[in-house]
Amino acid sequence: MPNFFRSNSEDSDETSSEEEEELSSGEESEVEQDKSEDSSEEESDEDEDEDESGSSSSDEEAQGVNRFLRKDVEDESSSSDEEKVTVVKSAKDKRFDELEGIVRLIENAEKIGDWAVISTEYDKLNRQLPALLKQNDGKAPKLYVKTVADLEVLMQETHDNQKNSSTKMKAPNLKGLNAVRQKIRKVNKEHQSDIDAYREDKEGFMTEEVEEKVASGPKKSKGVKGALSDNVDLDAGDEGGWEGVGRDGRPMKYTAESILKHLRSIVESRGRKNTDKLEQIRVMERLLDVAVSDYQKLRVLHSLVSTRFDLTAGTGNVMSQEQWKLADQEFKTLLDILQANPSMIVVEGAEEWGDDEKQPQIEPGKIFQIPGSIVSLVERLDDELTRSLQHIDPHTAEYIDRLGDEGALYTNIIRALLYAERLKTIPQVTTGQEGVNRVVMRRLEHLYFKPSQVVSILEENSWKSIDSGHDSKVTPRDDKSDDGELVKTLCNYLFQNSDGIIRARSMLCQIYFLALHDMYYRARDMMLMSHLQETVGSFDVATQILFNRTLVQVGLCAFRGGLVYEAQNSLQEICGSGRQKELLAQGVQMTRYSQVSPEQERLERQRQLPFHMHINLELLECVYLTCSMLLEIPLLAQSGSSPDIRKRIISKTFRRMLEYHERQIFTGPPENTRDHVMQASKALAAGEWRKAADFISAIKIWDLMKEPEKIKTMLEAQIQEEGLRTYLFTYAPFYDTLALSTLADMFSLPERKVAAVVSRMISHEELAAALDQVGQVIVFRKGVELSRLQSLALTLSDKASGLIESNERTLEQRTQGTAGAFERDRGQGGRGGRGGQRGRGGGRGGQGGIRRGGGFVGGALGNAIKT
């Protein structure tokens, strides 16, 4: 009887649930229910036929009920027995099931970015860990190690993306992300060795777990593995089960024959929405393991590297160092296979093999082309490394560690150049020269800003890792010439074999390299002969940035050589604008009222150069202000006696800073580079050259330059000479004659040098004097320089003339349409009126045309203009 009631209650629950499903699902569920009822009626008819043949005759209705009750009891008892068999588990298995359930929840939350759930489940995971360690002999389960290692990588990527994203997370997700970020690094330190082992070889780390589970599992799991055959690779637990099972629940067999078919399905799904790229990468890693022929490996490797780059699709994403190193290693393997098989080449525009069921048969002596681009892959590797360096804090050890990957990248660039040179020799390939030019340009961009010693070490290490049987025709391995010749060779190759923007960039790189190594005149001549300053406005932004960097480096080279005027001219355009960071792509200057959209700001940040390529802006400002001081202070002293020179300004930026400094009521000791230069300028203007030299030498930024003591000695000599010129401009009106020996003692210069400076000033008509070589004195001519009163009078006349011009312009604007108001006394003029006016236009004493009741006729200003 209890079974009967229980069955009735279960039937009522089932019917009530079916009614709810019918109300919610609609017509489709009704159709499915009709089909199920028909099938159940057929089954019941068959059962009744069998019962009628095997049982005695009785009441059919009662017999059906009894049969139904008896069957229900038997089925329920058998199902309950089965449930009892499957539910019984040990405490160890229960804990592991709980671990798998938590991991599954974390993975589902990762897919939708729900960090609040991830934080909650992560806390549960850590609370369960002590019991798992106890039952696992003190070792963390590999499923736990895999989960926390992947979670840490995802957390770091999400945190970096959040920094660069314009859209912010919701508060619960942001709180969960910060909570996980604070805990995970501390917790992972306890299992760092296991995490490192997992990251080095993920497949091997989890394979041991698979073998242990298969050996200790029930018979059912062994049967499943036997059904899938040896070609199916299963991972431990629910974590890796998807790799052996398709979306329809059927097992997927990764065999050598089915590689091309699986690869085609992956390639066709690229770019679609809701595509799991990490899943595609794992599948292709499986395909690479089972690949047999080199053709299969080439196809899989090329698609695998490209898919890894797809992980960073978008402007704000950065490729993780782990993924980049995997892509770099796979690209290296790809080049190894191509070098070992000269009959196969990867080239753009090749026809794709259409038959996925069988592999192509490569005939001996013929070239088989595979669609793809080696040059594009190495360019993308370079771009991803640059983007990663842009987003890392340059003052941390992580930046130095990431910068160490440049050596491996440079080696792959050279290997790609060797491959591109080989393609150039094949007649069937039409894009050979373009590929060589692109790789040579990438190689040049890694060399032009480095000192020759660094270039030598980089080249030596790269050629050591390349097989001795391969050599380059552009830059042979055995060429032991100067390191500067390497850059020259690469640039000359691009001059001869390229045009357009690549040729212009190669020329700028060579000029930069020459200026970096203190070859000013060669760099200057090449810059002038290239005429790039005339056409740089039509180039892209990256080339314009390179032009600005080259121009600045030429100016610094001139300064190191003591050419102050040339250095100031080169630096004026960049440093005088006040936008050095933006023009050199070393930062974004955001003003208060800027109208820059978030998209424009993001693009601007993408153009920024990595920190190791920066030019020190403080050093640049110091050089520019020092050069401006040495030119402006003598010019200011000269303009006091020559009003024609007063309007000449060399550096408006320096003048503005000097005026602001002079307006200060109290001037304390110098604190920064600008203060040192300003106080040195005041001392130089007063004739105190020794004090000015001490201020300039006290600047610590000179230590960043090569040979700082030589720079300070050069600057002291320049200050002595400009101090002498400033003194002569300032005090010449007070002297009749002045001995050269007096000036030599005053400025610690030899008399020969003083005579040379004075002679140059006289020849340039800067000084009204004559040099008596017999008496070794300077004879000043009087009456040439203006006195103080005369200078003030000229200044007053200039201001008065400017005032009259502005009044005339104002009058013209006010009297538009009445321009002849002051000429009405001529001809017929205005109508006569009171005041003794005679005739229709005549006026007494030439005053015709004045109307008492009329409009504006000029007034006193009009009379002044008329006279």
Side-chain angles (χ1 to χ4, degrees):
M1 197 64 179
N3 289 333
F4 176 79
F5 285 115
R6 183 166 64 250
S7 63
N8 287 337
S9 63
E10 290 176 358
D11 293 339
S12 63
D13 293 337
E14 291 175 359
T15 54
S16 62
S17 62
E18 288 176 359
E19 290 175 356
E20 292 176 358
E21 291 177 357
E22 289 175 1
L23 292 174
S24 60
S25 61
E27 294 180 359
E28 295 180 357
S29 62
E30 291 177 1
V31 174
E32 293 175 358
Q33 185 178 0
D34 294 338
K35 292 181 179 179
S36 62
E37 289 176 358
D38 296 337
S39 61
S40 62
E41 289 176 1
E42 292 175 359
E43 292 175 358
S44 63
D45 294 337
E46 293 175 0
D47 294 336
E48 289 176 1
D49 295 335
E50 292 175 359
D51 293 334
E52 288 175 0
S53 61
S55 62
S56 60
S57 61
S58 62
D59 186 28
E60 295 180 358
E61 185 175 356
Q63 193 178 15
V65 172
N66 291 333
R67 184 167 59 252
F68 172 76
L69 292 175
R70 185 167 57 254
K71 182 180 178 181
D72 182 76
V73 172
E74 292 175 356
D75 293 340
E76 186 176 358
S77 61
S78 62
S79 62
S80 62
D81 294 337
E82 290 178 1
E83 288 176 0
K84 289 178 183 178
V85 173
T86 56
V87 164
V88 173
K89 291 183 180 180
S90 64
K92 181 177 181 180
D93 292 338
K94 288 181 179 179
R95 290 193 184 97
F96 196 81
D97 290 341
E98 292 177 2
L99 173 64
E100 290 180 344
I102 294 173
V103 170
R104 193 178 300 111
L105 290 175
I106 291 177
E107 288 183 346
N108 294 335
E110 287 176 354
K111 293 178 181 178
I112 61 176
D114 192 349
W115 283 96
V117 175
I118 294 176
S119 177
T120 304
E121 298 301 325
Y122 180 68
D123 293 339
K124 291 181 182 178
L125 191 66
N126 289 328
R127 287 196 297 268
Q128 192 185 10
L129 182 61
L132 294 171
L133 291 174
K134 186 176 181 180
Q135 73 179 17
N136 204 23
D137 298 332
K139 295 182 180 180
K142 295 186 178 181
L143 182 58
Y144 174 83
V145 174
K146 177 181 182 300
T147 303
V148 295
D150 294 341
L151 183 59
E152 183 179 6
V153 174
L154 179 64
M155 179 273 301
Q156 189 62 39
E157 292 178 355
T158 307
H159 180 69
D160 295 340
N161 294 340
Q162 188 65 21
K163 285 183 179 179
N164 304 318
S165 177
S166 59
T167 59
K168 301 299 181 181
M169 276 187 179
K170 294 182 179 180
N173 287 341
L174 187 60
K175 184 178 179 181
L177 176 63
N178 293 332
V180 173
R181 185 166 176 262
Q182 291 174 0
K183 299 173 185 176
I184 193 167
R185 292 183 179 177
K186 182 179 179 181
V187 175
N188 284 7
K189 286 182 180 179
E190 302 176 1
H191 313 285
Q192 193 62 42
S193 58
D194 293 336
I195 293 174
D196 294 339
Y198 167 72
R199 288 175 176 171
E200 288 177 2
D201 187 9
K202 295 183 179 181
E203 184 179 353
F205 185 84
M206 300 304 295
T207 301
E208 300 175 3
E209 185 84 2
V210 174
E211 293 175 354
E212 293 174 2
K213 280 190 169 289
V214 171
S216 61
K219 277 186 175 182
K220 190 174 181 179
S221 62
K222 291 183 180 179
V224 172
K225 186 174 182 181
L228 296 180
S229 77
D230 296 336
N231 292 324
V232 181
D233 194 0
L234 297 176
D235 284 345
D238 294 332
E239 285 294 310
W242 64 271
E243 296 182 7
V245 180
R247 293 184 178 180
D248 54 355
R250 297 179 182 178
M252 296 176 62
K253 296 183 179 181
Y254 299 132
T255 62
E257 292 77 12
S258 64
I259 285 179
L260 298 181
K261 185 183 298 183
H262 289 299
L263 195 61
R264 180 178 293 277
S265 63
I266 292 174
V267 172
E268 290 176 352
S269 64
R270 283 181 62 187
R272 296 179 181 176
K273 292 183 179 180
N274 302 325
T275 301
D276 191 352
K277 300 185 177 92
L278 290 176
E279 179 182 354
Q280 292 181 345
I281 290 174
R282 291 167 188 157
V283 171
M284 283 189 283
E285 288 175 349
R286 293 282 187 267
L287 295 177
L288 184 61
D289 293 337
V290 300
V292 178
S293 65
D294 291 333
Y295 173 76
Q296 293 175 340
K297 293 179 180 179
L298 286 176
R299 290 285 304 274
V300 175
L301 283 171
H302 191 281
S303 300
L304 181 56
V305 176
S306 302
T307 307
R308 290 193 190 277
F309 292 144
D310 290 344
L311 292 175
T312 59
T315 56
N317 297 332
V318 179
M319 194 174 188
S320 63
Q321 185 176 6
E322 180 184 3
Q323 291 290 337
W324 189 91
K325 286 186 175 181
L326 290 173
D328 182 73
Q329 187 64 32
E330 289 157 0
F331 181 75
K332 182 180 178 181
T333 307
L334 179 63
L335 292 176
D336 290 338
I337 297 175
L338 288 173
Q339 289 180 357
N341 296 273
S343 58
M344 290 188 294
I345 61 173
V346 176
V347 64
E348 298 180 16
E351 294 184 3
E352 187 175 358
W353 180 256
D355 192 355
D356 296 337
E357 300 295 334
K358 63 178 182 179
Q359 299 185 26
Q361 300 296 326
I362 302 175
E363 300 179 2
K366 291 188 178 181
I367 301 297
F368 184 80
Q369 297 184 5
I370 302 173
S373 177
I374 298 298
V375 178
S376 298
L377 292 181
V378 75
E379 286 179 339
R380 188 64 187 274
L381 275 174
D382 190 9
D383 293 339
E384 291 297 336
L385 179 61
T386 302
R387 188 185 298 182
S388 177
L389 291 172
Q390 288 174 348
H391 289 78
I392 298 176
D393 186 3
H395 305 291
T396 59
E398 182 183 2
Y399 188 89
I400 304 299
D401 182 38
R402 197 73 178 92
L403 192 59
D405 296 333
E406 187 182 13
L409 174 63
Y410 187 77
T411 303
N412 282 337
I413 290 176
I414 295 180
R415 296 188 64 186
L417 176 60
L418 299 178
Y419 176 77
E421 289 179 4
R422 184 165 73 89
L423 288 184
K424 186 181 175 183
T425 59
I426 300 176
Q428 294 88 344
V429 180
T430 58
T431 60
Q433 187 59 53
E434 182 184 358
V436 174
N437 293 342
R438 289 162 59 188
V439 180
V440 170
M441 191 67 236
R442 289 283 176 168
R443 184 179 177 186
L444 184 60
E445 288 176 349
H446 280 270
L447 299 177
Y448 79 94
F449 62 92
K450 291 183 173 67
S452 58
Q453 298 86 351
V454 179
V455 173
S456 176
I457 295 173
L458 187 62
E459 281 285 319
E460 183 179 356
N461 294 336
S462 297
W463 283 109
K464 281 182 181 179
S465 58
I466 298 176
D467 189 9
S468 59
H470 299 85
D471 200 0
S472 173
K473 296 180 180 179
V474 180
T475 55
R477 180 197 297 262
D478 299 331
D479 189 6
K480 302 298 182 181
S481 59
D482 187 18
D483 299 317
E485 294 297 322
L486 173 63
V487 176
K488 181 180 178 182
T489 302
L490 295 174
C491 293
N492 289 339
Y493 181 84
L494 292 177
F495 293 162
Q496 298 172 3
N497 299 282
S498 67
D499 54 2
I501 195 168
I502 293 182
R503 187 173 185 179
R505 290 183 65 86
S506 63
M507 190 173 297
L508 290 172
C509 289
Q510 185 173 4
I511 296 171
Y512 189 103
F513 188 80
L514 292 174
L516 185 64
H517 293 81
D518 295 333
M519 289 180 270
Y520 169 73
Y521 290 104
R522 290 179 59 187
R524 181 200 63 181
D525 295 343
M526 185 173 293
M527 175 70 84
L528 294 177
M529 288 188 298
S530 65
H531 298 283
L532 289 174
Q533 61 273 13
E534 300 174 3
T535 58
V536 70
S538 60
F539 293 153
D540 61 334
V541 178
T543 306
Q544 293 179 12
I545 292 171
L546 180 58
F547 177 82
N548 295 337
R549 286 167 51 81
T550 304
L551 193 62
V552 166
Q553 196 59 244
V554 170
L556 294 176
C557 178
F559 177 79
R560 291 192 295 267
L563 304 174
V564 176
Y565 180 76
E566 289 80 358
Q568 205 277 340
N569 281 340
S570 297
L571 300 177
Q572 173 66 37
E573 186 175 358
I574 303 299
C575 299
S577 64
R579 299 187 299 130
Q580 297 93 320
K581 282 186 177 181
E582 184 179 352
L583 295 176
L584 298 177
Q586 297 182 189
V588 180
Q589 292 180 342
M590 301 301 296
T591 59
R592 181 180 299 178
Y593 303 106
S594 62
Q595 301 295 328
V596 180
S597 63
E599 184 66 24
Q600 291 175 340
E601 182 181 356
R602 190 179 299 112
L603 292 176
E604 188 69 27
R605 294 189 183 279
Q606 284 183 351
R607 301 190 189 105
Q608 303 305 303
L609 295 174
F611 183 77
H612 67 282
M613 298 177 64
H614 284 191
I615 298 173
N616 194 306
L617 294 179
E618 187 178 357
L619 176 62
L620 183 62
E621 182 186 20
C622 182
V623 170
Y624 173 70
L625 292 179
T626 304
C627 294
S628 300
M629 177 194 73
L630 295 174
L631 297 176
E632 281 284 0
I633 297 302
L635 183 62
L636 287 172
Q638 184 183 6
S639 63
S641 58
S642 301
D644 295 337
I645 307 177
R646 186 182 299 273
K647 297 180 181 180
R648 181 186 171 193
I649 297 177
I650 295 178
S651 174
K652 292 183 179 180
T653 304
F654 178 81
R655 288 279 184 100
R656 189 165 51 250
M657 292 181 183
L658 187 61
E659 291 174 0
Y660 175 79
H661 190 269
E662 289 177 349
R663 288 197 301 267
Q664 299 298 316
I665 299 174
F666 172 75
T667 304
E671 298 179 355
N672 52 28
T673 302
R674 187 176 299 178
D675 292 344
H676 279 87
V677 177
M678 291 300 107
Q679 295 203 16
S681 303
K682 291 183 65 176
L684 185 62
E688 301 176 356
W689 70 271
R690 176 67 66 184
K691 187 176 180 181
D694 292 341
F695 277 124
I696 295 298
S697 299
I699 300 175
K700 297 181 180 180
I701 200 70
W702 301 124
D703 296 335
L704 298 179
M705 300 187 75
K706 185 171 59 177
E707 299 179 354
E709 294 301 326
K710 182 179 178 181
I711 297 295
K712 293 178 182 179
T713 304
M714 179 270 295
L715 287 175
E716 184 175 350
Q718 291 284 346
I719 290 173
Q720 286 176 312
E721 182 177 345
E722 298 303 328
L724 173 60
R725 296 179 70 243
T726 304
Y727 184 83
L728 291 176
F729 284 136
T730 305
Y731 299 103
F734 302 97
Y735 286 100
D736 291 331
T737 59
L738 183 59
L740 294 179
S741 58
T742 303
L743 292 174
D745 294 339
M746 189 180 299
F747 292 96
S748 302
L749 290 172
E751 293 186 7
R752 188 182 183 89
K753 179 67 174 178
V754 174
V757 172
V758 172
S759 300
R760 186 166 63 249
M761 294 175 66
I762 294 173
S763 64
H764 292 168
E765 297 181 356
E766 295 176 345
L767 186 64
L771 181 61
D772 187 0
Q773 296 183 356
V774 178
Q776 293 294 308
V777 295
I778 305 172
V779 180
F780 295 95
R781 294 198 299 269
K782 294 298 180 180
V784 178
E785 288 83 5
L786 299 176
S787 63
R788 181 66 174 170
L789 180 60
Q790 291 172 335
S791 300
L792 292 175
L794 288 174
T795 303
L796 179 60
S797 64
D798 291 341
K799 290 185 178 180
S801 62
L803 180 61
I804 291 175
E805 290 178 359
S806 64
N807 286 340
E808 287 179 353
R809 287 194 297 269
T810 305
L811 178 63
E812 290 177 359
Q813 294 176 359
R814 294 283 301 273
T815 59
Q816 288 181 358
T818 58
F822 306 110
E823 300 180 358
R824 291 177 179 173
D825 54 343
R826 301 176 186 176
Q828 294 183 355
R831 296 180 181 177
R834 283 184 284 180
Q837 294 177 352
R838 298 189 299 268
R840 297 192 59 179
R844 190 172 50 188
Q847 299 296 325
I850 300 177
R851 301 188 309 176
R852 297 189 177 217
F856 175 74
V857 292
L861 182 60
N863 293 332
I865 295 175
K866 288 173 64 176
T867 57

